[in-house]
């Protein structure tokens, strides 16, 4: 069914007072959230792409010269806390501020955090202050924007998973551009420039959301401003039998637990996989290999910018007359992105030798998301739409396949080796399989939390979803800190195979208990 003719969706939007204009078959308001989240992820992943490599880079190259273990432990604490604070931020929004104000507060705090990190070359205290501010700001921002996406669709809508997948594409557009540009500028121009650039676009994301708030109608308002229709909906939630609510929450808990095992593996990207890229991967390219990479890198730079520019154009056609400042703010940010993109391509083509940056490999995940997200969205909508547990199982298996590829590719690395020159192809393959797995887990997980959770606890449950990611990041950082020890005692292949084994075991359990879990969802799929 075409979304414009989806009567249930239209009635839902009308009841919530949401602008009923559609973009590509979905509410225009979804794409405002798309761009808000895009710039927030630009800032987060742009900084994260630099974090580990900055810490372990030699002092002579303006890094801090930390050991791999020290860097992995800080990485684990930072990324873990980033995903832990949304638990508190979701509760604050549910009880005090409402989702919209929480998003704006979080965006402002994160902007200040990036600004602080831009002064890391003056004092290390600015660096640590920036980390703290970004942890706190993300806690207010992250769970509440995800909650607003879910409220744009009725729970019975078959388009809800597709809406979250589109939103997830926005997440990865921002992550891609952040890692591409902040990573490149940080490694090749100056670390503080890379950290500072991340904050510029966080600011633009905040501005464009601020001027578009009315497009959301009653969604995200401050608690206490509940309208008659919402009170009726709250009563209907209370009328849902307690055993059904309990069963659905059990399913949410199972999916959250499964996500820990997925992200424990997946989040090696910013940790042990970054170390593998820096110390064990051939990154100096000469001759034809260098020329080919320059053209591929140019395409990877320009093509995604072109895609999201087209999305902005489609949105602006629908909302410019009512929300001009939102479109203008986003257009200015895109003008800056285009300028930086062309500058980067021009600079690389004028270098005699090509050195692939360590952070470049991390953009592959987001690039594959951008190119594959719509295909997965159509797959769930029109071809095959299995239950959430089955989708999660496939995601866990695929992330494991990525580490099997790395294990195979690193078989030539001698036991205890500190450096090597393994082909780039193994990291590329790993990121491809990790991405396909992510598309089976992350957007699906967000959708199921929204569909299965009682509405009055939506912010809290999204906070718990990110708490699971926090636990995964703590474990990922701790596991990554053992890379040198395992390589010295066993091998690099052994390290990657250990990481691959756990997700496969959890995937098998999900497939075994799929029937039971489907029954416990009581009609929601």
């Amino acid at each position: 069914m075409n979304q414009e003719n989806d009567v249930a969706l239209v009635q839902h939007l009308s009841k919530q007072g949401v602008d009923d204009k559609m973009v590509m078959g979905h509410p225009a308001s979804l794409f405002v959230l798309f761009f808000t989240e895009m710039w927030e992820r630009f800032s987060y992943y742009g900084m994260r792409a630099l974090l580990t490599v900055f810490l372990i880079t030699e002092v002579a190259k303006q890094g801090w010269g930390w050991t791999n273990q020290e860097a992995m432990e800080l990485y684990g604490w930072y990324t873990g806390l980033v995903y832990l604070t949304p638990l508190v931020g979701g509760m604050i929004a549910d009880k005090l501020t409402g989702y919209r104000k929480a998003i704006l507060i979080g965006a402002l705090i994160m902007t200040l955090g990036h600004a602080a990190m831009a002064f890391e070359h003056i004092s290390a205290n600015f660096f640590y202050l920036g980390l703290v501010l970004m942890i706190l700001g993300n806690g207010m921002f992250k769970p509440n924007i995800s909650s607003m996406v879910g409220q744009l669709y009725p729970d019975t809508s078959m388009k809800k998973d597709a809406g979250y997948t589109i939103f997830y594409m926005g997440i990865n557009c921002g992550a891609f551009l952040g890692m591409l540009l902040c990573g490149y500028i940080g490694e090749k121009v100056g670390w503080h420039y890379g950290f500072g650039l991340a904050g510029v676009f966080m600011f633009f994301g905040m501005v464009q959301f601020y001027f578009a708030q009315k497009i959301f109608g009653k969604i995200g308002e401050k608690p206490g401003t509940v309208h008659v229709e919402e009170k009726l909906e709250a009563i209907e939630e209370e009328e849902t039998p307690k055993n059904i609510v309990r069963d659905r929450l059990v399913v949410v808990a199972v999916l959250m637990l499964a996500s820990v095992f997925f992200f424990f593996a997946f989040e090696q990207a910013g940790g042990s996989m970054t170390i593998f890229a820096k110390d064990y991967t051939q990154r100096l390219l000469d001759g034809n290999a260098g020329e080919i990479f320059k053209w591929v890198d140019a395409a990877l730079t320009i093509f995604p910018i072109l895609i999201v520019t087209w999305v902005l154009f489609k949105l602006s056609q629908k909302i410019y007359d009512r929300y001009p400042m939102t479109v203008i703010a986003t257009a200015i940010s895109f003008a800056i992105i285009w300028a930086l993109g062309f500058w980067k391509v021009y600079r690389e083509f004028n270098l005699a030798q090509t050195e692939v940056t360590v952070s470049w490999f991390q953009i592959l995940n987001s690039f594959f998301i951008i190119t594959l997200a719509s295909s997965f969205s159509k797959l769930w909508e029109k071809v095959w739409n299995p239950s959430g547990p089955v989708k999660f199982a496939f995601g866990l298996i695929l992330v494991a396949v990525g580490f099997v590829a790395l294990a195979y590719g690193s078989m030539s690395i001698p036991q205890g080796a500190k450096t090597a020159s393994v082909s780039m192809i193994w990291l590329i393959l790993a990121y491809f399989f990790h991405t396909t797995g992510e598309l089976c887990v992350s957007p699906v997980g967000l959708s199921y939390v929204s569909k299965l959770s009682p509405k009055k606890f939506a912010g809290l449950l999204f906070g718990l979803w990110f708490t699971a990611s926090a636990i995964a990041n703590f474990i990922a950082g701790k596991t990554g800190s053992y890379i040198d020890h395992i390589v010295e005692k066993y091998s690099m292949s052994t390290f990657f195979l250990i990481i691959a084994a756990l997700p496969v075991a959890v995937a098998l359990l999900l497939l075994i208990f799929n029937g039971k879990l489907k029954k416990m969802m009581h009609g929601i799929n």
Side-chain angles (χ1 to χ4, degrees):
M1 181 185 292
N2 188 289
Q3 196 81 338
E4 279 89 345
N5 299 320
D6 188 334
V7 175
L9 175 65
V10 171
Q11 290 177 343
H12 175 78
L13 294 175
S14 176
K15 184 186 295 184
Q16 299 294 331
V18 179
D19 194 306
D20 61 0
K21 288 187 173 64
M22 298 285 178
V23 176
M24 294 183 285
H26 289 265
S29 47
L30 172 68
F31 292 90
V32 173
L33 297 174
F34 174 105
F35 284 113
T36 306
E37 179 75 350
M38 188 180 93
W39 290 138
E40 187 275 330
R41 292 291 87 182
F42 180 104
S43 72
Y44 173 75
Y45 281 101
M47 191 285 292
R48 197 198 75 167
L50 290 172
L51 182 58
T52 298
V53 66
F54 166 70
L55 293 173
I56 64 177
T57 293
E58 301 86 345
V59 175
K61 296 180 180 179
Q62 285 75 52
W64 280 9
W66 286 19
T67 66
N68 290 339
Q69 181 175 350
E70 290 170 338
M72 286 297 86
E73 288 178 351
L74 178 63
Y75 174 83
W77 276 106
Y78 169 68
T79 56
L81 289 171
V82 157
Y83 285 101
L84 184 61
T85 51
L87 176 63
V88 178
M91 295 172 64
I92 291 173
D94 281 339
K95 301 295 184 182
L96 299 174
T97 63
Y99 300 139
R100 291 189 215 165
K101 187 174 289 186
I103 289 169
L104 288 170
I105 292 170
L108 176 60
I109 294 172
M110 284 188 285
T111 300
L112 295 174
H114 287 292
M117 289 195 75
F119 294 99
E120 57 79 21
H121 60 296
I122 296 175
S123 171
N125 292 330
F126 283 111
F127 180 86
Y128 292 116
L129 174 62
L131 291 181
V132 170
L133 289 173
M134 284 186 286
I135 289 167
L136 296 175
N138 187 79
M140 291 296 289
F141 185 99
K142 191 65 178 172
N144 301 309
I145 194 166
S146 300
S147 298
M148 288 186 68
V149 173
Q151 292 182 24
L152 293 176
Y153 299 86
D155 287 341
T156 55
S157 175
M158 296 297 292
K159 303 288 185 175
K160 195 165 193 172
D161 282 8
Y164 267 108
T165 300
I166 291 171
F167 177 69
Y168 207 68
M169 180 180 167
I171 290 175
N172 283 276
C173 286
F176 175 89
L177 294 171
M179 290 184 286
L180 180 79
L181 296 174
C182 296
Y184 182 86
I185 290 172
E187 288 189 53
K188 295 205 172 186
V189 180
W191 301 109
H192 53 282
Y193 290 113
F195 290 136
L197 181 65
V200 171
F201 292 96
M202 183 69 260
F203 173 77
F204 279 112
M206 176 179 65
V207 171
Q208 71 94 30
F209 179 82
Y210 175 80
F211 285 108
Q213 290 183 78
K214 290 184 179 179
I215 200 172
F216 301 109
K218 294 176 284 189
I219 291 177
E221 287 185 341
K222 184 176 180 179
T225 57
V226 181
H227 297 264
V228 174
E229 296 89 343
E230 291 173 289
K231 289 180 179 179
L232 291 174
E233 287 184 359
I235 292 172
E236 292 174 4
E237 186 64 55
E238 290 173 3
E239 291 178 351
T240 302
K242 290 183 179 180
N243 66 306
I244 293 179
V245 173
R246 183 194 64 236
D247 285 353
R248 288 173 176 172
L249 288 176
V250 168
V251 176
V252 171
V254 169
L255 295 181
M256 286 180 180
L257 181 61
S259 75
V260 170
F261 289 89
F262 177 85
F263 286 109
F264 139 77
F266 182 84
E267 287 296 337
Q268 297 298 321
S272 63
M273 289 173 70
T274 294
I275 293 171
F276 184 77
K278 180 178 183 294
D279 296 333
Y280 297 93
T281 302
Q282 174 60 33
R283 296 186 292 110
L284 286 173
L285 305 177
D286 293 309
N288 289 336
E291 284 299 310
I292 292 171
F293 178 81
K294 287 176 182 178
W295 283 104
V296 170
D297 184 54
L300 286 174
T301 301
I302 301 302
F303 180 64
I305 299 176
L306 194 62
I307 291 177
V308 290
T309 301
W310 179 77
V311 174
L312 174 60
F313 173 73
K314 299 294 288 186
L315 177 65
S316 65
Q317 286 182 309
K318 299 289 186 176
I319 72 168
Y320 181 80
D321 57 334
R322 296 188 63 182
Y323 309 100
M325 290 304 300
T326 290
V327 174
I328 291 171
T330 310
I332 292 171
S333 63
F334 270 73
I336 298 172
I337 285 290
W338 275 108
L340 290 173
F342 280 122
W343 166 79
K344 172 183 174 293
V345 170
Y346 175 80
R347 187 177 188 271
E348 281 298 298
F349 270 100
N350 282 276
L351 294 176
Q353 186 181 50
T354 298
E355 181 180 8
V356 182
T357 60
V358 177
S359 56
W360 182 86
F361 294 96
Q362 292 186 51
I363 74 170
L364 294 172
N365 168 245
S366 297
F367 174 75
F368 290 136
I369 288 282
I370 294 166
T371 53
L372 296 175
S374 61
S375 297
F376 272 75
S377 176
K378 290 176 182 177
L379 173 67
W380 305 144
E381 282 186 46
K382 299 178 180 179
V383 181
W384 184 55
N385 191 28
S387 68
V390 171
K391 291 176 183 176
F392 265 55
F394 274 97
L396 287 158
I397 291 169
L398 287 166
V399 78
V401 171
F403 281 104
V404 171
L406 284 175
Y408 181 81
S410 60
M411 287 177 65
S412 62
I413 300 175
Q415 179 181 341
K418 298 297 184 183
T419 61
S421 296
V422 172
S423 171
M424 292 167 53
I425 189 63
W426 302 112
L427 270 172
I428 294 171
L429 280 174
Y431 276 110
F432 173 79
F433 285 115
H434 289 185
T435 300
T436 55
E438 185 183 9
L439 283 167
C440 294
V441 173
S442 286
V444 174
L446 291 172
S447 179
Y448 271 83
V449 171
S450 175
K451 290 188 289 190
L452 294 171
S453 302
K455 294 295 172 289
K456 59 183 178 181
F457 297 125
L460 173 61
L461 268 295
F462 273 107
L464 288 172
W465 168 259
F466 293 115
T467 299
S469 294
I471 296 169
N473 276 274
F474 284 130
I475 298 172
K478 192 64 178 176
T479 304
S481 71
Y482 289 108
I483 184 171
D484 289 341
H485 174 75
I486 294 175
V487 170
E488 183 177 341
K489 191 171 183 179
Y490 301 100
S491 68
M492 181 66 75
S493 291
T494 301
F495 175 79
F496 288 133
L497 286 174
I498 291 171
I499 296 174
L502 290 173
V504 171
V506 177
L508 293 175
L509 289 173
L510 286 175
L511 292 174
I512 290 170
F513 291 102
N514 175 53
K516 176 66 174 176
L517 292 170
K518 283 183 67 175
K519 289 181 181 178
M520 295 178 71
M521 288 189 277
H522 296 280
I524 290 180
N525 186 29

